[in-house]
mmCIF file of all heavy atoms in Angstrom:
data_model
loop_
_atom_site.group_PDB
_atom_site.id
_atom_site.type_symbol
_atom_site.label_atom_id
_atom_site.label_comp_id
_atom_site.label_asym_id
_atom_site.label_seq_id
_atom_site.Cartn_x
_atom_site.Cartn_y
_atom_site.Cartn_z
ATOM 1 N N LEU A 1 0.821 -1.188 -0.001
ATOM 2 C CA LEU A 1 0.027 -0.016 0.003
ATOM 3 C C LEU A 1 0.860 1.262 -0.014
ATOM 4 O O LEU A 1 0.463 2.288 -0.580
ATOM 5 C CB LEU A 1 -0.922 -0.026 1.191
ATOM 6 C CG LEU A 1 -1.995 -1.112 1.163
ATOM 7 C CD1 LEU A 1 -2.844 -1.098 2.437
ATOM 8 C CD2 LEU A 1 -2.937 -0.925 -0.064
ATOM 9 N N SER A 2 2.037 1.213 0.642
ATOM 10 C CA SER A 2 2.958 2.306 0.571
ATOM 11 C C SER A 2 3.339 2.614 -0.842
ATOM 12 O O SER A 2 3.384 3.744 -1.290
ATOM 13 C CB SER A 2 4.226 2.003 1.392
ATOM 14 O OG SER A 2 5.250 2.935 1.149
ATOM 15 N N LEU A 3 3.662 1.573 -1.609
ATOM 16 C CA LEU A 3 4.035 1.755 -3.035
ATOM 17 C C LEU A 3 2.873 2.201 -3.851
ATOM 18 O O LEU A 3 2.998 3.049 -4.793
ATOM 19 C CB LEU A 3 4.587 0.471 -3.603
ATOM 20 C CG LEU A 3 5.945 0.014 -3.044
ATOM 21 C CD1 LEU A 3 6.398 -1.285 -3.689
ATOM 22 C CD2 LEU A 3 7.024 1.083 -3.223
ATOM 23 N N VAL A 4 1.670 1.746 -3.586
ATOM 24 C CA VAL A 4 0.440 2.194 -4.293
ATOM 25 C C VAL A 4 0.313 3.707 -4.166
ATOM 26 O O VAL A 4 -0.046 4.421 -5.107
ATOM 27 C CB VAL A 4 -0.821 1.464 -3.765
ATOM 28 C CG1 VAL A 4 -2.074 2.149 -4.320
ATOM 29 C CG2 VAL A 4 -0.794 0.006 -4.203
ATOM 30 N N ARG A 5 0.605 4.213 -2.942
ATOM 31 C CA ARG A 5 0.458 5.671 -2.731
ATOM 32 C C ARG A 5 1.609 6.467 -3.344
ATOM 33 O O ARG A 5 1.453 7.655 -3.582
ATOM 34 C CB ARG A 5 0.444 5.944 -1.200
ATOM 35 C CG ARG A 5 -0.820 5.334 -0.526
ATOM 36 C CD ARG A 5 -0.902 5.721 0.959
ATOM 37 N NE ARG A 5 -2.147 5.101 1.509
ATOM 38 C CZ ARG A 5 -2.173 4.040 2.256
ATOM 39 N NH1 ARG A 5 -1.034 3.402 2.524
ATOM 40 N NH2 ARG A 5 -3.284 3.576 2.750
ATOM 41 N N GLN A 6 2.705 5.799 -3.610
ATOM 42 C CA GLN A 6 3.870 6.543 -4.166
ATOM 43 C C GLN A 6 3.827 6.638 -5.696
ATOM 44 O O GLN A 6 4.482 7.543 -6.277
ATOM 45 C CB GLN A 6 5.164 5.854 -3.760
ATOM 46 C CG GLN A 6 5.450 5.948 -2.229
ATOM 47 C CD GLN A 6 6.714 5.245 -1.875
ATOM 48 O OE1 GLN A 6 7.781 5.469 -2.505
ATOM 49 N NE2 GLN A 6 6.641 4.335 -0.877
ATOM 50 N N THR A 7 3.138 5.740 -6.362
ATOM 51 C CA THR A 7 3.176 5.771 -7.823
ATOM 52 C C THR A 7 2.056 6.630 -8.404
ATOM 53 O O THR A 7 1.002 6.794 -7.771
ATOM 54 C CB THR A 7 3.044 4.311 -8.380
ATOM 55 O OG1 THR A 7 3.188 4.329 -9.807
ATOM 56 C CG2 THR A 7 1.679 3.711 -8.046
ATOM 57 N N ASP A 8 2.293 7.117 -9.598
ATOM 58 C CA ASP A 8 1.264 7.866 -10.332
ATOM 59 C C ASP A 8 0.954 7.175 -11.629
ATOM 60 O O ASP A 8 0.446 7.787 -12.602
ATOM 61 C CB ASP A 8 1.713 9.309 -10.570
ATOM 62 C CG ASP A 8 2.941 9.411 -11.428
ATOM 63 O OD1 ASP A 8 3.544 8.341 -11.711
ATOM 64 O OD2 ASP A 8 3.305 10.528 -11.828
ATOM 65 N N ALA A 9 1.221 5.909 -11.756
ATOM 66 C CA ALA A 9 1.111 5.156 -13.014
ATOM 67 C C ALA A 9 -0.346 5.027 -13.411
ATOM 68 O O ALA A 9 -1.233 4.968 -12.590
ATOM 69 C CB ALA A 9 1.763 3.785 -12.912
ATOM 70 N N ASP A 10 -0.543 4.900 -14.725
ATOM 71 C CA ASP A 10 -1.877 4.630 -15.260
ATOM 72 C C ASP A 10 -2.316 3.211 -14.995
ATOM 73 O O ASP A 10 -3.512 2.977 -14.749
ATOM 74 C CB ASP A 10 -1.860 4.895 -16.785
ATOM 75 C CG ASP A 10 -1.466 6.326 -17.141
ATOM 76 O OD1 ASP A 10 -2.238 7.242 -16.830
ATOM 77 O OD2 ASP A 10 -0.330 6.485 -17.670
ATOM 78 N N TYR A 11 -1.371 2.298 -15.082
ATOM 79 C CA TYR A 11 -1.627 0.857 -14.805
ATOM 80 C C TYR A 11 -0.652 0.395 -13.756
ATOM 81 O O TYR A 11 0.563 0.740 -13.831
ATOM 82 C CB TYR A 11 -1.428 -0.002 -16.069
ATOM 83 C CG TYR A 11 -2.379 0.315 -17.208
ATOM 84 C CD1 TYR A 11 -2.098 -0.051 -18.510
ATOM 85 C CD2 TYR A 11 -3.646 0.886 -16.973
ATOM 86 C CE1 TYR A 11 -2.930 0.171 -19.555
ATOM 87 C CE2 TYR A 11 -4.521 1.112 -17.991
ATOM 88 C CZ TYR A 11 -4.171 0.799 -19.284
ATOM 89 O OH TYR A 11 -5.037 1.067 -20.328
ATOM 90 N N VAL A 12 -1.116 -0.381 -12.798
ATOM 91 C CA VAL A 12 -0.300 -0.894 -11.713
ATOM 92 C C VAL A 12 -0.439 -2.406 -11.605
ATOM 93 O O VAL A 12 -1.561 -2.908 -11.576
ATOM 94 C CB VAL A 12 -0.664 -0.213 -10.387
ATOM 95 C CG1 VAL A 12 0.008 -0.928 -9.199
ATOM 96 C CG2 VAL A 12 -0.285 1.284 -10.377
ATOM 97 N N LEU A 13 0.694 -3.084 -11.539
ATOM 98 C CA LEU A 13 0.746 -4.511 -11.254
ATOM 99 C C LEU A 13 1.467 -4.718 -9.921
ATOM 100 O O LEU A 13 2.276 -3.860 -9.559
ATOM 101 C CB LEU A 13 1.419 -5.305 -12.351
ATOM 102 C CG LEU A 13 0.876 -5.220 -13.786
ATOM 103 C CD1 LEU A 13 1.521 -4.097 -14.563
ATOM 104 C CD2 LEU A 13 1.034 -6.532 -14.509
ATOM 105 N N MET A 14 1.186 -5.817 -9.249
ATOM 106 C CA MET A 14 1.812 -6.124 -7.968
ATOM 107 C C MET A 14 2.611 -7.378 -8.068
ATOM 108 O O MET A 14 2.173 -8.385 -8.720
ATOM 109 C CB MET A 14 0.767 -6.232 -6.896
ATOM 110 C CG MET A 14 -0.140 -4.995 -6.827
ATOM 111 S SD MET A 14 -1.511 -5.117 -5.655
ATOM 112 C CE MET A 14 -0.725 -4.570 -4.174
ATOM 113 N N CYS A 15 3.809 -7.382 -7.453
ATOM 114 C CA CYS A 15 4.732 -8.451 -7.718
ATOM 115 C C CYS A 15 5.282 -8.998 -6.358
ATOM 116 O O CYS A 15 5.798 -8.213 -5.569
ATOM 117 C CB CYS A 15 5.874 -7.944 -8.570
ATOM 118 S SG CYS A 15 7.096 -9.194 -8.999
ATOM 119 N N ASP A 16 5.211 -10.301 -6.166
ATOM 120 C CA ASP A 16 5.808 -10.963 -4.997
ATOM 121 C C ASP A 16 7.217 -11.340 -5.302
ATOM 122 O O ASP A 16 7.572 -11.614 -6.445
ATOM 123 C CB ASP A 16 4.996 -12.151 -4.571
ATOM 124 C CG ASP A 16 3.618 -11.796 -3.993
ATOM 125 O OD1 ASP A 16 3.485 -10.634 -3.522
ATOM 126 O OD2 ASP A 16 2.710 -12.630 -4.049
ATOM 127 N N GLN A 17 8.049 -11.438 -4.281
ATOM 128 C CA GLN A 17 9.485 -11.615 -4.459
ATOM 129 C C GLN A 17 9.863 -13.020 -4.871
ATOM 130 O O GLN A 17 10.982 -13.227 -5.385
ATOM 131 C CB GLN A 17 10.181 -11.277 -3.165
ATOM 132 C CG GLN A 17 9.840 -12.262 -2.030
ATOM 133 C CD GLN A 17 10.486 -11.874 -0.715
ATOM 134 O OE1 GLN A 17 11.033 -10.815 -0.549
ATOM 135 N NE2 GLN A 17 10.397 -12.748 0.244
ATOM 136 N N ASP A 18 9.004 -14.018 -4.747
ATOM 137 C CA ASP A 18 9.416 -15.377 -4.960
ATOM 138 C C ASP A 18 8.700 -16.082 -6.119
ATOM 139 O O ASP A 18 8.871 -17.294 -6.309
ATOM 140 C CB ASP A 18 9.245 -16.200 -3.674
ATOM 141 C CG ASP A 18 7.932 -15.974 -3.009
ATOM 142 O OD1 ASP A 18 7.026 -15.307 -3.604
ATOM 143 O OD2 ASP A 18 7.721 -16.481 -1.884
ATOM 144 N N ASP A 19 7.832 -15.365 -6.820
ATOM 145 C CA ASP A 19 7.152 -15.957 -7.953
ATOM 146 C C ASP A 19 7.946 -15.832 -9.254
ATOM 147 O O ASP A 19 9.026 -15.201 -9.271
ATOM 148 C CB ASP A 19 5.764 -15.348 -8.114
ATOM 149 C CG ASP A 19 4.883 -15.562 -6.905
ATOM 150 O OD1 ASP A 19 5.047 -16.587 -6.219
ATOM 151 O OD2 ASP A 19 4.071 -14.667 -6.612
ATOM 152 N N LEU A 20 7.394 -16.345 -10.312
ATOM 153 C CA LEU A 20 7.974 -16.146 -11.654
ATOM 154 C C LEU A 20 6.877 -15.647 -12.572
ATOM 155 O O LEU A 20 5.724 -16.054 -12.405
ATOM 156 C CB LEU A 20 8.557 -17.471 -12.242
ATOM 157 C CG LEU A 20 9.724 -18.079 -11.449
ATOM 158 C CD1 LEU A 20 10.030 -19.469 -12.027
ATOM 159 C CD2 LEU A 20 10.937 -17.208 -11.474
ATOM 160 N N TRP A 21 7.179 -14.757 -13.490
ATOM 161 C CA TRP A 21 6.208 -14.239 -14.414
ATOM 162 C C TRP A 21 6.430 -14.830 -15.778
ATOM 163 O O TRP A 21 7.548 -14.917 -16.316
ATOM 164 C CB TRP A 21 6.331 -12.735 -14.509
ATOM 165 C CG TRP A 21 5.765 -12.023 -13.271
ATOM 166 C CD1 TRP A 21 5.644 -12.506 -12.046
ATOM 167 C CD2 TRP A 21 5.314 -10.632 -13.257
ATOM 168 N NE1 TRP A 21 5.133 -11.574 -11.202
ATOM 169 C CE2 TRP A 21 4.859 -10.408 -11.891
ATOM 170 C CE3 TRP A 21 5.152 -9.639 -14.190
ATOM 171 C CZ2 TRP A 21 4.345 -9.207 -11.510
ATOM 172 C CZ3 TRP A 21 4.626 -8.418 -13.786
ATOM 173 C CH2 TRP A 21 4.233 -8.196 -12.452
ATOM 174 N N GLU A 22 5.300 -15.287 -16.375
ATOM 175 C CA GLU A 22 5.384 -15.703 -17.801
ATOM 176 C C GLU A 22 5.755 -14.509 -18.692
ATOM 177 O O GLU A 22 5.382 -13.371 -18.401
ATOM 178 C CB GLU A 22 4.047 -16.319 -18.272
ATOM 179 C CG GLU A 22 3.620 -17.556 -17.522
ATOM 180 C CD GLU A 22 4.416 -18.784 -17.883
ATOM 181 O OE1 GLU A 22 5.380 -18.654 -18.682
ATOM 182 O OE2 GLU A 22 4.102 -19.873 -17.402
ATOM 183 N N PRO A 23 6.508 -14.730 -19.746
ATOM 184 C CA PRO A 23 7.035 -13.650 -20.532
ATOM 185 C C PRO A 23 5.986 -12.673 -21.085
ATOM 186 O O PRO A 23 6.241 -11.437 -21.194
ATOM 187 C CB PRO A 23 7.766 -14.321 -21.718
ATOM 188 C CG PRO A 23 8.146 -15.632 -21.156
ATOM 189 C CD PRO A 23 7.021 -16.054 -20.215
ATOM 190 N N GLU A 24 4.763 -13.135 -21.311
ATOM 191 C CA GLU A 24 3.718 -12.279 -21.922
ATOM 192 C C GLU A 24 2.741 -11.732 -20.892
ATOM 193 O O GLU A 24 1.726 -11.167 -21.251
ATOM 194 C CB GLU A 24 2.969 -13.061 -23.030
ATOM 195 C CG GLU A 24 3.827 -13.419 -24.197
ATOM 196 C CD GLU A 24 3.061 -14.023 -25.320
ATOM 197 O OE1 GLU A 24 1.869 -14.457 -25.077
ATOM 198 O OE2 GLU A 24 3.570 -14.110 -26.451
ATOM 199 N N LYS A 25 3.056 -11.874 -19.626
ATOM 200 C CA LYS A 25 2.119 -11.483 -18.568
ATOM 201 C C LYS A 25 1.712 -10.019 -18.686
ATOM 202 O O LYS A 25 0.550 -9.700 -18.706
ATOM 203 C CB LYS A 25 2.692 -11.761 -17.180
ATOM 204 C CG LYS A 25 1.813 -11.257 -16.069
ATOM 205 C CD LYS A 25 2.359 -11.606 -14.686
ATOM 206 C CE LYS A 25 1.455 -11.055 -13.619
ATOM 207 N NZ LYS A 25 1.869 -11.471 -12.215
ATOM 208 N N ILE A 26 2.688 -9.162 -18.706
ATOM 209 C CA ILE A 26 2.337 -7.701 -18.738
ATOM 210 C C ILE A 26 1.593 -7.337 -20.012
ATOM 211 O O ILE A 26 0.575 -6.638 -19.997
ATOM 212 C CB ILE A 26 3.619 -6.829 -18.573
ATOM 213 C CG1 ILE A 26 4.204 -7.018 -17.179
ATOM 214 C CG2 ILE A 26 3.291 -5.359 -18.871
ATOM 215 C CD1 ILE A 26 5.442 -6.214 -16.942
ATOM 216 N N ALA A 27 2.034 -7.897 -21.133
ATOM 217 C CA ALA A 27 1.395 -7.591 -22.393
ATOM 218 C C ALA A 27 -0.065 -8.062 -22.416
ATOM 219 O O ALA A 27 -0.957 -7.316 -22.884
ATOM 220 C CB ALA A 27 2.143 -8.278 -23.564
ATOM 221 N N ILE A 28 -0.336 -9.257 -21.891
ATOM 222 C CA ILE A 28 -1.723 -9.798 -21.912
ATOM 223 C C ILE A 28 -2.609 -9.008 -20.953
ATOM 224 O O ILE A 28 -3.748 -8.643 -21.312
ATOM 225 C CB ILE A 28 -1.659 -11.285 -21.532
ATOM 226 C CG1 ILE A 28 -1.064 -12.125 -22.652
ATOM 227 C CG2 ILE A 28 -3.102 -11.790 -21.238
ATOM 228 C CD1 ILE A 28 -0.802 -13.574 -22.328
ATOM 229 N N LEU A 29 -2.132 -8.682 -19.752
ATOM 230 C CA LEU A 29 -2.914 -7.941 -18.788
ATOM 231 C C LEU A 29 -3.206 -6.515 -19.299
ATOM 232 O O LEU A 29 -4.323 -5.980 -19.115
ATOM 233 C CB LEU A 29 -2.271 -7.931 -17.453
ATOM 234 C CG LEU A 29 -2.220 -9.286 -16.696
ATOM 235 C CD1 LEU A 29 -1.517 -9.111 -15.368
ATOM 236 C CD2 LEU A 29 -3.589 -9.877 -16.510
ATOM 237 N N LYS A 30 -2.208 -5.857 -19.915
ATOM 238 C CA LYS A 30 -2.440 -4.530 -20.458
ATOM 239 C C LYS A 30 -3.439 -4.531 -21.605
ATOM 240 O O LYS A 30 -4.295 -3.642 -21.674
ATOM 241 C CB LYS A 30 -1.090 -3.916 -20.918
ATOM 242 C CG LYS A 30 -0.214 -3.463 -19.790
ATOM 243 C CD LYS A 30 1.164 -3.065 -20.216
ATOM 244 C CE LYS A 30 1.216 -1.832 -21.041
ATOM 245 N NZ LYS A 30 2.601 -1.366 -21.298
ATOM 246 N N LYS A 31 -3.359 -5.544 -22.412
ATOM 247 C CA LYS A 31 -4.353 -5.684 -23.553
ATOM 248 C C LYS A 31 -5.770 -5.816 -22.963
ATOM 249 O O LYS A 31 -6.719 -5.182 -23.451
ATOM 250 C CB LYS A 31 -3.972 -6.850 -24.405
ATOM 251 C CG LYS A 31 -4.914 -7.055 -25.622
ATOM 252 C CD LYS A 31 -4.437 -8.209 -26.470
ATOM 253 C CE LYS A 31 -5.304 -8.437 -27.690
ATOM 254 N NZ LYS A 31 -6.652 -8.892 -27.342
ATOM 255 N N ALA A 32 -5.891 -6.663 -21.957
ATOM 256 C CA ALA A 32 -7.228 -6.871 -21.344
ATOM 257 C C ALA A 32 -7.693 -5.547 -20.693
ATOM 258 O O ALA A 32 -8.923 -5.201 -20.803
ATOM 259 C CB ALA A 32 -7.187 -7.972 -20.312
ATOM 260 N N MET A 33 -6.821 -4.846 -20.057
ATOM 261 C CA MET A 33 -7.203 -3.577 -19.455
ATOM 262 C C MET A 33 -7.556 -2.544 -20.521
ATOM 263 O O MET A 33 -8.556 -1.797 -20.347
ATOM 264 C CB MET A 33 -6.066 -3.038 -18.582
ATOM 265 C CG MET A 33 -6.397 -1.713 -17.903
ATOM 266 S SD MET A 33 -7.796 -1.774 -16.789
ATOM 267 C CE MET A 33 -7.130 -2.664 -15.387
ATOM 268 N N ASN A 34 -6.850 -2.491 -21.582
ATOM 269 C CA ASN A 34 -7.196 -1.596 -22.721
ATOM 270 C C ASN A 34 -8.595 -1.858 -23.203
ATOM 271 O O ASN A 34 -9.396 -0.943 -23.465
ATOM 272 C CB ASN A 34 -6.215 -1.799 -23.892
ATOM 273 C CG ASN A 34 -4.816 -1.267 -23.599
ATOM 274 O OD1 ASN A 34 -3.883 -1.647 -24.208
ATOM 275 N ND2 ASN A 34 -4.680 -0.408 -22.609
ATOM 276 N N GLU A 35 -8.943 -3.156 -23.344
ATOM 277 C CA GLU A 35 -10.288 -3.543 -23.789
ATOM 278 C C GLU A 35 -11.363 -3.134 -22.796
ATOM 279 O O GLU A 35 -12.407 -2.695 -23.198
ATOM 280 C CB GLU A 35 -10.277 -5.081 -24.074
ATOM 281 C CG GLU A 35 -9.463 -5.501 -25.228
ATOM 282 C CD GLU A 35 -9.292 -7.017 -25.277
ATOM 283 O OE1 GLU A 35 -9.740 -7.728 -24.346
ATOM 284 O OE2 GLU A 35 -8.720 -7.521 -26.310
ATOM 285 N N MET A 36 -11.055 -3.307 -21.512
ATOM 286 C CA MET A 36 -12.041 -2.905 -20.503
ATOM 287 C C MET A 36 -12.258 -1.409 -20.492
ATOM 288 O O MET A 36 -13.403 -0.927 -20.391
ATOM 289 C CB MET A 36 -11.556 -3.351 -19.125
ATOM 290 C CG MET A 36 -11.754 -4.834 -18.848
ATOM 291 S SD MET A 36 -11.562 -5.231 -17.090
ATOM 292 C CE MET A 36 -13.144 -4.721 -16.438
ATOM 293 N N GLU A 37 -11.173 -0.656 -20.633
ATOM 294 C CA GLU A 37 -11.344 0.812 -20.657
ATOM 295 C C GLU A 37 -12.122 1.265 -21.906
ATOM 296 O O GLU A 37 -12.863 2.225 -21.819
ATOM 297 C CB GLU A 37 -9.956 1.487 -20.570
ATOM 298 C CG GLU A 37 -9.327 1.334 -19.186
ATOM 299 C CD GLU A 37 -8.066 2.168 -19.028
ATOM 300 O OE1 GLU A 37 -7.372 2.442 -20.019
ATOM 301 O OE2 GLU A 37 -7.829 2.613 -17.904
ATOM 302 N N ALA A 38 -11.907 0.583 -22.986
ATOM 303 C CA ALA A 38 -12.669 0.927 -24.200
ATOM 304 C C ALA A 38 -14.161 0.638 -23.990
ATOM 305 O O ALA A 38 -15.014 1.349 -24.491
ATOM 306 C CB ALA A 38 -12.113 0.139 -25.400
ATOM 307 N N GLU A 39 -14.450 -0.423 -23.188
ATOM 308 C CA GLU A 39 -15.870 -0.818 -22.980
ATOM 309 C C GLU A 39 -16.546 0.011 -21.895
ATOM 310 O O GLU A 39 -17.697 0.438 -22.079
ATOM 311 C CB GLU A 39 -15.925 -2.285 -22.580
ATOM 312 C CG GLU A 39 -17.312 -2.832 -22.360
ATOM 313 C CD GLU A 39 -17.328 -4.316 -22.115
ATOM 314 O OE1 GLU A 39 -16.272 -4.961 -22.153
ATOM 315 O OE2 GLU A 39 -18.455 -4.840 -21.843
ATOM 316 N N TYR A 40 -15.825 0.274 -20.801
ATOM 317 C CA TYR A 40 -16.453 0.922 -19.655
ATOM 318 C C TYR A 40 -16.008 2.359 -19.429
ATOM 319 O O TYR A 40 -16.612 3.067 -18.600
ATOM 320 C CB TYR A 40 -16.162 0.103 -18.359
ATOM 321 C CG TYR A 40 -16.710 -1.313 -18.422
ATOM 322 C CD1 TYR A 40 -15.874 -2.401 -18.514
ATOM 323 C CD2 TYR A 40 -18.070 -1.538 -18.393
ATOM 324 C CE1 TYR A 40 -16.339 -3.686 -18.572
ATOM 325 C CE2 TYR A 40 -18.591 -2.845 -18.440
ATOM 326 C CZ TYR A 40 -17.720 -3.904 -18.517
ATOM 327 O OH TYR A 40 -18.198 -5.173 -18.573
ATOM 328 N N GLY A 41 -14.996 2.781 -20.124
ATOM 329 C CA GLY A 41 -14.448 4.134 -19.960
ATOM 330 C C GLY A 41 -13.246 4.159 -18.994
ATOM 331 O O GLY A 41 -13.182 3.435 -18.049
ATOM 332 N N ALA A 42 -12.259 4.973 -19.334
ATOM 333 C CA ALA A 42 -11.033 5.022 -18.607
ATOM 334 C C ALA A 42 -11.193 5.650 -17.233
ATOM 335 O O ALA A 42 -10.275 5.555 -16.372
ATOM 336 C CB ALA A 42 -9.959 5.811 -19.393
ATOM 337 N N ASP A 43 -12.332 6.283 -16.976
ATOM 338 C CA ASP A 43 -12.601 6.906 -15.642
ATOM 339 C C ASP A 43 -13.229 5.862 -14.692
ATOM 340 O O ASP A 43 -13.384 6.173 -13.507
ATOM 341 C CB ASP A 43 -13.523 8.081 -15.774
ATOM 342 C CG ASP A 43 -12.875 9.222 -16.526
ATOM 343 O OD1 ASP A 43 -11.645 9.366 -16.468
ATOM 344 O OD2 ASP A 43 -13.621 10.032 -17.198
ATOM 345 N N THR A 44 -13.517 4.703 -15.148
ATOM 346 C CA THR A 44 -14.114 3.657 -14.305
ATOM 347 C C THR A 44 -13.070 2.885 -13.583
ATOM 348 O O THR A 44 -12.084 2.442 -14.251
ATOM 349 C CB THR A 44 -14.989 2.697 -15.143
ATOM 350 O OG1 THR A 44 -16.008 3.416 -15.851
ATOM 351 C CG2 THR A 44 -15.653 1.644 -14.293
#
């Protein structure tokens, strides 16, 4: 929550120290978010 308050990013992902991310994770999640914002509006 400290980091959430410190960032001003448009999109925020959260990362644990011991997991692994699939190479396309950020790309897939951003694409899905883009689609949601197109459907519901970027202010939602």
Side-chain angles (χ1 to χ4, degrees):
L1 293 175
S2 169
L3 292 179
V4 168
R5 295 186 180 100
Q6 292 178 52
T7 186
D8 63 352
D10 302 291
Y11 296 158
V12 168
L13 300 92
M14 307 175 85
C15 183
D16 291 336
Q17 65 185 9
D18 46 7
D19 299 328
L20 298 172
W21 286 25
E22 296 288 3
E24 295 186 345
K25 175 176 178 175
I26 292 179
I28 291 172
L29 292 180
K30 284 170 69 171
K31 181 176 182 293
M33 180 60 75
N34 291 159
E35 292 170 351
M36 284 193 80
E37 289 190 331
E39 182 176 356
Y40 299 110
D43 293 333
T44 302

